[in-house]
């Protein structure tokens, strides 16, 4: 049911995992569900990678979307991906 604290609870679990040094794959069926959780993780912005079509992602989450044009080579790209502790996408977005 709406308002029961699901998003808050998920965000708190992710924060606890990050404090332990773990990495997290956050996936949900809808873009809004993923973005709602990410909006509660703003203190961890440098550690978040949002995979998805920019037109479907909430504008507040755009800074977490990868820009393929900012990398000179594959090594830079790989280093960037591996530096992120939270990777967030929709279940269907995992195919991209």
């Amino acid at each position: 049911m709406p308002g029961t604290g699901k998003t808050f609870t998920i965000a708190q679990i992710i924060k606890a995992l990050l404090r332990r040094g773990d990495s997290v794959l956050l996936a949900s069926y809808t873009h809004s569900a993923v973005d709602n959780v990410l909006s509660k993780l703003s203190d961890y912005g440098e550690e978040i990678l949002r995979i998805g079509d920019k037109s479907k992602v909430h504008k507040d989450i755009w800074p977490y979307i990868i820009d393929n044009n900012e990398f000179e080579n594959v090594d830079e790209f790989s280093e960037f991906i591996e530096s992120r502790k939270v990777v967030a996408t929709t279940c269907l977005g995992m195919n991209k």
Side-chain angles (χ1 to χ4, degrees), residues 2 4 9 15 17 32 43 49-50 53 58 64 68 82 92:
T4 58
T9 302
K15 288 178 183 180
L17 290 168
S32 61
D43 294 345
L49 171 61
R50 175 65 163 95
D53 186 350
H58 190 278
Y64 309 138
N68 295 333
E82 291 173 10
L92 297 175

Side-chain angles (χ1 to χ4, degrees), residues 15 37-46 48 64:
K15 288 178 183 180
V37 173
L38 291 181
S39 70
K40 299 194 180 316
L41 299 174
S42 59
D43 294 345
Y44 296 91
E46 302 251 333
I48 297 172
Y64 309 138

Side-chain angles (χ1 to χ4, degrees), residues 18 21-24 44-49 64 66 70-71 75-87:
L18 292 174
D22 293 333
S23 58
V24 178
Y44 296 91
E46 302 251 333
E47 300 183 40
I48 297 172
L49 171 61
Y64 309 138
I66 194 167
E70 67 184 78
F71 303 102
D75 291 333
E76 279 186 22
F77 179 76
S78 295
E79 185 178 315
F80 175 81
I81 298 291
E82 291 173 10
S83 71
R84 302 306 180 189
K85 294 288 187 180
V86 178
V87 177

